[in-house]
Amino acid sequence: MTMNRPILAANWKMNNGPTSAREFMKSFLDQYPRQNDRTVLFFPPAISLTTMAAAIADRRDIMLGVQNVYWKDQGAFTGELSVGMARDAGARVVLVGHSERRHVFGETDEETALKCAAVERGGLTPLLCVGELLDQREAGNAESVVVQQLRAGFSQMTQLATRDVLVAYEPVWAIGTGKTATPEDATAMHSVIRKELSALCGDRGRITPILYGGSVTSANAQTLLGAPQVDGLLVGGASLDAGSWLAVARA
Ligand code: PEP
């Protein structure tokens, strides 16, 4: 999978069904000609994936992912989505362990590990999200929480030395709150993540993209992207409006 950096990723959460996804992409693509110096990644709701895949058919600089999968390949799991189905519909990447999965739906480290392993087995790339709660930061535990989430999430993958993975540092207190980490805080945590990735993935860990996420807007995207060790951005709210997402994608 070839991804150019920076990687600008849009997490649409539970927004944009097929009709609005189509309209969004028409407006976005009209104003965003092919860029070879970056990769744009969309995580629409799974139901909009085939619409999105049709819209970006001739664009190698734009890729798709899903926001969640189940770790089983198929069967009696009502409401769930397998990695194979996501791949079939055009996804190349899978978000795993997003803070809303962890804190709204109670997803555990064990489940993130099963999901990352399933994504690897299915030939897609996991984008593992890690990040501390405010009280964990205030108690001085941010780094240990993030390192633990990383180790746990990747613990059942068997090809870390040879396969692509992506990581997003998303401090929970910054997601959807309007509070962003300072570029210095982001760099400091990304450096901790980089060190751990080198331990987990060997040489490949040195080049694993690490994205920052948490209240990124068109106003702060450039500064955060310019911070050392920040290889891209994962954006929720500001990716829902074609105009503000254009500005972030061009940052
Ligand atoms: C996210 O959903 O991953 C996210 C970072 O959201 P927001 O940009 O709205 O904080």
Side-chain angles (χ1 to χ4, degrees):
M1 185 179 65
T2 313
M3 281 197 178
N4 294 319
R5 296 169 202 218
I7 297 166
L8 291 318
N11 174 20
W12 281 356
K13 313 191 191 212
M14 200 172 73
N15 299 284
N16 290 335
T19 304
S20 43
R22 190 181 306 110
E23 282 162 9
F24 183 106
M25 290 311 278
K26 182 166 178 2
S27 155
F28 177 72
L29 294 171
D30 280 351
Q31 298 171 78
Y32 187 80
R34 184 172 169 150
Q35 314 284 327
N36 292 323
D37 64 345
R38 59 196 53 223
T39 298
V40 166
L41 190 50
F42 284 97
F43 294 93
I47 202 161
S48 301
L49 213 54
T50 51
T51 302
M52 299 285 288
I56 62 153
D58 56 347
R59 292 289 298 263
R60 301 221 346 241
D61 58 328
I62 303 179
M63 290 184 190
L64 300 177
V66 285
Q67 298 171 15
N68 185 35
V69 287
Y70 191 49
W71 56 84
K72 298 280 191 179
D73 294 340
Q74 62 182 45
F77 304 106
T78 300
E80 295 295 328
L81 178 75
S82 73
V83 177
M85 292 171 191
R87 191 183 54 227
D88 185 21
R92 308 279 295 276
V93 183
V94 179
L95 275 188
V96 179
H98 187 275
S99 84
E100 285 144 26
R101 298 305 316 170
R102 293 180 192 266
H103 300 294
V104 180
F105 297 100
E107 192 165 297
T108 62
D109 275 344
E110 290 70 30
E111 287 169 324
T112 66
L114 288 167
K115 289 180 182 189
C116 282
V119 173
E120 177 183 73
R121 241 186 6 258
L124 298 190
T125 298
L127 195 179
L128 178 65
C129 302
V130 295
E132 79 286 358
L133 297 162
L134 185 58
D135 58 350
Q136 292 169 327
R137 172 160 283 262
E138 286 174 348
N141 296 330
E143 291 184 6
S144 60
V145 167
V146 164
V147 166
Q148 161 61 21
Q149 288 175 342
L150 265 183
R151 284 184 192 159
F154 289 145
S155 63
Q156 297 201 31
M157 292 181 68
T158 57
Q159 299 163 34
L160 279 172
T162 52
R163 288 281 297 275
D164 291 324
V165 295
L166 304 169
V167 173
Y169 170 53
E170 297 207 305
V172 179
W173 47 269
I175 298 183
T177 58
K179 292 186 194 135
T180 38
T182 62
E184 293 73 24
D185 284 343
T187 295
M189 190 61 87
H190 285 216
S191 302
V192 170
I193 293 171
R194 172 74 59 218
K195 192 161 160 239
E196 189 58 29
L197 283 171
S198 295
L200 288 169
C201 312
D203 282 350
R204 218 177 171 84
R206 282 195 231 125
I207 53 162
T208 298
I210 307 172
L211 281 53
Y212 168 79
S215 295
V216 172
T217 64
S218 51
N220 61 24
Q222 189 84 41
T223 310
L224 285 160
L225 212 48
Q229 295 285 348
V230 175
D231 303 313
L233 301 171
L234 178 56
V235 184
S239 71
L240 293 176
D241 170 77
S244 70
W245 177 238
L246 257 177
V248 174
R250 288 173 176 151

